[in-house]
Amino acid sequence: MPAAVVLALLYFFLLREPPQPTSLNDLASAQSQLDEQPPQNPVEETPIATTVMIDVKGAVKSAGLYELPLGARVADAIEAAGGFLPDADSRSINLAVIVLDESSVYVPKAGEETAPVPTTASGGDAQPLVDLNTATEAELTELPGIGPAKAAAIIAHRTDNGPFRSIEQLTDVTGIGDKSFEQLKDLIRVR
C-alpha cells in the first residue's frame, strides 16, 4: 500500500475528532419538542350505554320512569313497575320485546280501547331508531339494504375504531356509501 493511503487511514481512524456527546440541554430540548406535539391518533373514549330508560304507564302498580339493563324486555319493565294491576289486559302486551332507550310501554285495562299506533310523517308505522353503537347483528339486518355481511362490517368497524360519534360515520364502513346512507339516515341514531 502506498504511504499516502496508510497515512490517510491512520488520520481517519486515529486523529479525527471524536463525536461530541449530546448535552443534557440538547436532550431536554428534544424531549420538550416531543411533548409539545399533539398525539398522532387521539382516541376519544365514548362511553357505551349499558342501561336504557323506559317509561311504564297504564295498568301497573307503580307507573313511572325506570332504568333497566341494556337488553331488558317488556316483562322486565313491567316487573320493575311492580307488575300488572288486577284489571290489566296483559294479553295485549308482548312481554318478549326488547325495550329500547327512550321508549314507553303502555298497559291497557281489560276492555280498554288502545290508541292507534303513531305513524311517521311518511305514513308508515313508527319504528324505534337503531343505535349503531349497541345494535346486534340481528337488529342491524332489519334495516333496509343491510344483510348479514354489512351488519358484521358495522360491528367490526365499531369494535376496531370505537363507537360511532355521528350517524354520518356509517359511510366509513366498507360497503356502505352515500346512497345506502340516504336510505338509513332516518332509521339510525348514535348515543
Side-chain angles (χ1 to χ4, degrees):
M1 258 206 278
V5 173
V6 172
L7 285 176
L9 288 173
L10 271 174
Y11 172 77
F12 183 74
F13 287 111
L14 298 175
L15 300 176
R16 72 183 172 105
E17 189 175 318
Q20 296 297 319
T22 305
S23 71
L24 289 178
N25 288 338
D26 292 341
L27 289 174
S29 174
Q31 182 63 41
S32 69
Q33 288 175 351
L34 287 175
D35 291 342
E36 291 173 8
Q37 293 179 352
Q40 294 297 332
N41 290 324
V43 177
E44 189 176 304
E45 292 292 322
T46 304
I48 295 177
T50 57
T51 61
V52 295
M53 295 298 287
I54 182 150
D55 186 13
V56 184
K57 303 174 182 183
V60 291
K61 291 181 182 171
S62 185
L65 187 62
Y66 293 94
E67 185 173 11
L68 300 172
L70 189 65
R73 306 210 178 249
V74 170
D76 301 320
I78 291 172
E79 182 180 320
F84 292 113
L85 289 176
D87 59 346
D89 183 6
S90 61
R91 294 180 306 156
S92 67
I93 303 293
N94 183 349
L95 300 174
V97 172
I98 293 175
V99 295
L100 298 175
D101 193 33
E102 301 177 358
S103 62
S104 67
V105 172
Y106 179 77
V107 179
K109 293 181 179 179
E112 178 182 349
E113 281 194 36
T114 57
V117 176
T119 57
T120 61
S122 63
D125 288 343
Q127 296 293 321
L129 298 178
V130 175
D131 190 324
L132 295 176
N133 290 326
T134 59
T136 63
E137 188 173 326
E139 291 169 332
L140 291 168
T141 57
E142 291 179 11
L143 292 169
I146 303 295
K150 285 186 182 177
I154 293 169
I155 292 172
H157 185 274
R158 76 178 182 216
T159 301
D160 296 343
N161 301 298
F164 290 93
R165 291 184 196 90
S166 70
I167 62 170
E168 290 79 12
Q169 282 186 307
L170 185 60
T171 58
D172 295 344
V173 176
T174 304
I176 299 180
D178 292 335
K179 187 175 178 182
S180 296
F181 177 73
E182 283 300 313
Q183 284 184 303
L184 299 169
K185 70 180 182 180
D186 295 328
L187 303 173
I188 57 176
R189 70 176 178 180
V190 171
R191 294 207 51 116

